[in-house]
Amino acid sequence: MLVLGLETSCDETGVALYDTDRGLLAHALHSQVDLHAVYGGVVPEIASRDHVRRLLPQVAELLASAGAERPDAIAYTAGPGLVGALMVAGGLAQGLALVWDIPVVPVHHMEAHLLAPLLEDEAPDYPFLARLVAGGHSLLVLVRGLGDYEQLGTTLDDAAGEAFDKTAKLLDLGYPGGPAIAREAVRGNPRAYDLPRPMVDRDGFDFSFSGLKTAVMLKVGEAREAGTLDASRADLAASFQAAVVDTLVRRSLKAAEHAGVDRIVVAGGVGANRLLRERLAAAFPGSVYYPRIEYCTDNGAMVALAGALRLADADPSAAVRATARWPLTDLAPPGSRPC
Ligand code: KG4
Ligand code: ZN
C-alpha cells in the first residue's frame, strides 16, 4: 500500500509517500518560519493561508518525483493543533480520497511524533518510554505497543518547546526559540547562572518550566538594567538550556526505571536539541533512539508512517476531523475502536 501523508497542524507544510513494503519513498517540507518570525510566534490565520497555497502543489510535485500517479490511502494530521491549519490537510485529504476512491486515515500528531524513530533502520522494539518534547506538548509516555499508551508524566505549565520559545523572546533571540537558544548557547558557559531544576526531586514524573522561566526573566531584567545583556546573553542561553535538558533527562531516567524499560525514544521538535541527545545517551544505561533531525520537528513522513500503521482505522465518514485538543491516551490499538 502506498500511503500519502499530509501534515499542516502548525507552521510546517509536510507531505510524504510511505510504502508499506519498501518504507519511505519521498517526502517534502516547507517551513513557514520566515512568515511568522516577524511576529515572534505562529499566527494561526497566516499559517492556514500558507498551507492552502502550498499543500496541493507540494502533493503534485511529490507524486511526480516518486513516479506515482496516486496513492492507495491518504493520512492527515487531524489533531492536536491549530484548527484552521489542520482543516487544510483534512479538507484536501477528503477531497482527493473522494476523487481517487481511496481510504482516509486521521492521524494523531503526537502519535506520529513518537513513531518517527520507526522510520530509521535501527528502530526500537516495544515497549519503550517516549520522551515527547514538542512546541505545544511535553509528555512522558510508556509505549507498550501501537496505541497502547500510558502517560506517566506531563508538564504542569509550559511545554519544553514553549519554554525555549518564550525564553528566546526574552533574550531577543527571535523565533523559533529552540534552535536560536541552542546556537547562542554554544558560546556560553552553562554554569554561569545557577538556575532552578523545577520539581526534579518531587514524587511522580510531572515537570514544570514556569519557575525556571521566571528565574531567567529576573536575570534578564537585571542584565538589561545593568546594560550587560549583550555580554551575558550566551551564558544565559547556555544556563537555561542546561537546566531544561537536566530536568528532562532526570525525569526520563526516573520514569524509565519505574517502568522497567531499557529503551527511550526522544521525539518532537525539542528532540532536535543536541545537548539533550548527548546527555540522555550518556546518562541512560539502555538504548536511546532518535529520529533524524528532519523527522524530529513537524514533517509529513511521520504522518504517512502513522497512517500506514493505522490503515485499519480509516474514517468512512468523509468528514474532516480537526481537533485542537486530543489526549494521546484516548488512542487504542489499530482496529479496536475509532481513534
Ligand atoms: O514538534 P514541533 O516541530 O512542533 C510541535 O508539534 O509543537 O516542535 C517545535 C518546537 C519549537 O518550540 C522549537 O523551538 C523547538 O521545537 N525546537 C528546539 C530545537 N529545534 C526545534 N528546541 C530546542 N533545541 C532545538 N534544537
Ligand atoms: Zn509536532
Side-chain angles (χ1 to χ4, degrees):
M1 289 279 277
L2 193 57
V3 182
L4 171 66
L6 307 179
E7 159 63 40
T8 62
S9 68
C10 191
D11 60 344
E12 326 272 355
T13 318
V15 297
L17 269 179
Y18 186 88
D19 186 304
T20 48
D21 290 328
R22 291 181 292 161
L24 188 69
L25 299 187
H27 82 115
L29 187 72
H30 174 79
S31 171
Q32 302 176 355
V33 159
D34 294 345
L35 284 182
H36 301 288
V38 280
Y39 302 100
V42 176
V43 182
E45 182 64 21
I46 292 177
S48 311
R49 286 169 188 239
D50 200 57
H51 289 312
V52 169
R53 250 192 308 272
R54 299 198 184 264
L55 187 61
L56 185 54
Q58 224 168 285
V59 168
E61 248 175 65
L62 180 84
L63 289 173
S65 76
E69 222 161 89
R70 42 163 264 192
D72 303 306
I74 306 184
Y76 70 96
T77 303
L82 303 170
V83 168
L86 290 165
M87 280 165 61
V88 180
L92 186 65
Q94 291 291 7
L96 290 176
L98 202 66
V99 173
W100 285 330
D101 192 22
I102 57 175
V104 186
V105 186
V107 164
H108 190 290
H109 183 76
M110 298 312 291
E111 178 172 72
H113 269 305
L114 78 82
L115 295 174
L118 304 183
L119 288 163
E120 304 296 346
D121 290 340
E122 253 183 65
D125 290 326
Y126 300 115
F128 57 77
L129 178 78
R131 165 80 279 179
L132 286 168
V133 273
H137 299 83
S138 280
L139 305 172
L140 268 172
V141 182
L142 173 59
V143 179
R144 296 195 185 89
L146 183 64
D148 185 356
Y149 307 133
E150 184 185 343
Q151 184 172 309
L152 299 179
T154 185
T155 177
L156 298 183
D157 34 63
D158 287 349
E162 213 172 345
F164 268 102
D165 293 336
K166 288 180 179 169
T167 302
K169 217 174 198 175
L170 274 177
L171 290 168
D172 305 325
L173 284 172
Y175 178 86
I181 287 196
R183 270 194 306 275
E184 185 73 13
V186 172
R187 300 185 290 111
N189 173 5
R191 277 179 285 275
Y193 293 89
D194 187 18
L195 297 174
R197 271 67 171 154
M199 296 183 59
V200 285
D201 298 320
R202 287 228 205 135
D203 286 346
F205 310 101
D206 288 338
F207 40 96
S208 146
F209 293 113
S210 67
L212 171 60
K213 210 179 55 196
T214 308
V216 178
M217 198 159 68
L218 292 174
K219 300 286 179 207
V220 172
E222 286 166 15
R224 234 184 248 288
E225 219 155 88
T228 56
L229 184 57
D230 284 344
S232 50
R233 187 175 283 111
D235 284 346
L236 280 162
S239 302
F240 168 78
Q241 180 179 242
V244 173
V245 166
D246 201 25
T247 305
L248 293 174
V249 168
R250 282 157 74 171
R251 278 332 224 181
S252 307
L253 295 181
K254 194 173 169 217
E257 191 181 313
H258 162 87
V261 294
D262 57 5
R263 287 176 285 266
I264 297 182
V265 157
V266 181
V270 183
N273 188 279
R274 290 191 191 279
L275 186 72
L276 175 61
R277 291 172 169 240
E278 286 165 18
R279 282 288 159 81
L280 199 54
F284 185 55
S287 309
V288 182
Y289 297 83
Y290 303 94
R292 69 192 68 174
I293 303 263
E294 62 189 304
Y295 302 151
C296 268
T297 43
D298 293 349
N299 64 85
M302 66 183 191
V303 178
L305 168 70
L309 296 172
R310 280 200 176 271
L311 287 169
D313 293 328
D315 178 4
S317 73
V320 174
R321 273 196 67 168
T323 312
R325 287 175 198 283
W326 183 7
L328 185 66
T329 42
D330 280 2
L331 298 184
S336 53
R337 68 172 139 102
C339 66

